[in-house]
Amino acid sequence: MLTLTSPVKTPLHQMRAGPKLATLALFTFALFWTTSPLHLGIALVAVVALYLTGGTQFARHGARMLRPLWPFVAVVGLWHLWLDDLTAGAVVLLRMGAAVAAANLVTVTTRLSDMITVLERLARPLAPLLPPQRLALAIALVIRFIPVLSERAAQLGQAYRARSGRAPGWRLFAPAALAALDDAENVSQALRARGGTG
């Protein structure tokens, strides 16, 4: 759910974030409740149909955002082939595909600020323990940090390959962790300079 809101407008963009997130929660619950490949297949087809309501450009964008799912599909599929349990494999793959595709659909049709507003509202009962504004800021920072840290790790990997001619592998862990700590320190100083988190 780290993709940006799609610039291609669809009818789903007009819906409020709260109902969309509630529907996603109920849909995901239903996916994990059923074990019928037929019902899961219908759910996946329904999600694909929702993508197609935005046109082919929007559907292609959604398919591109699901590309990181393919390694998991391959591993789960091969594992169940090895176990000779194709029905269980189909259930897992259909459930995973429908759930991730639905979550991605909500993400690309909902602004992050609207989702954070909903989460702030839901977190109000926890206000004595955890102020909702801090929770919202933490979520926004995590969502922003993940692509930044991925790019930093890729740059470190390229630098290592340029010097050694080999893939970095586990050697990338320490410099990537130090870079993440350095970025976190810079962000905390910037927040303090602007008056903290409230």
Side-chain angles (χ1 to χ4, degrees), residues 13-84:
H13 282 79
Q14 308 306 319
M15 287 181 62
R16 291 186 297 122
K20 271 195 280 194
L21 291 170
T23 303
L24 175 64
L26 291 172
F27 179 74
T28 307
F29 177 79
L31 288 176
F32 281 89
W33 184 262
T34 184
T35 57
S36 164
L38 175 63
H39 294 152
L40 292 168
I42 291 170
L44 183 58
V45 169
V47 174
V48 171
L50 284 174
Y51 274 98
L52 291 173
T53 61
T56 54
Q57 184 183 352
F58 178 75
R60 279 198 301 269
H61 174 71
R64 278 196 305 274
M65 295 301 106
L66 295 173
R67 209 176 296 154
L69 194 62
W70 285 112
F72 297 99
V73 170
V75 169
V76 171
L78 290 171
W79 174 253
H80 283 89
L81 275 174
W82 186 71
L83 291 177
D84 197 23

Side-chain angles (χ1 to χ4, degrees), residues 92-114:
V92 172
L93 291 176
L94 289 169
R95 185 180 285 148
M96 180 172 62
V100 175
N104 187 65
L105 180 63
V106 169
T107 303
V108 298
T109 59
T110 312
R111 290 183 306 171
L112 178 60
S113 58
D114 293 340

Side-chain angles (χ1 to χ4, degrees), residues 9 45 55 59 63 71 79 86 92 101 107 126 149 166 173 176 189:
K9 295 301 177 188
V45 169
W79 174 253
L86 298 181
V92 172
T107 303
L126 301 174
L149 293 178
R166 296 177 297 167
F173 179 76
Q189 288 175 3

Side-chain angles (χ1 to χ4, degrees), residues 153 156-158 160-161 164-176:
L156 289 169
Q158 290 171 358
Y160 185 87
R161 275 190 217 88
S164 68
R166 296 177 297 167
W170 60 270
R171 296 172 192 85
L172 200 60
F173 179 76

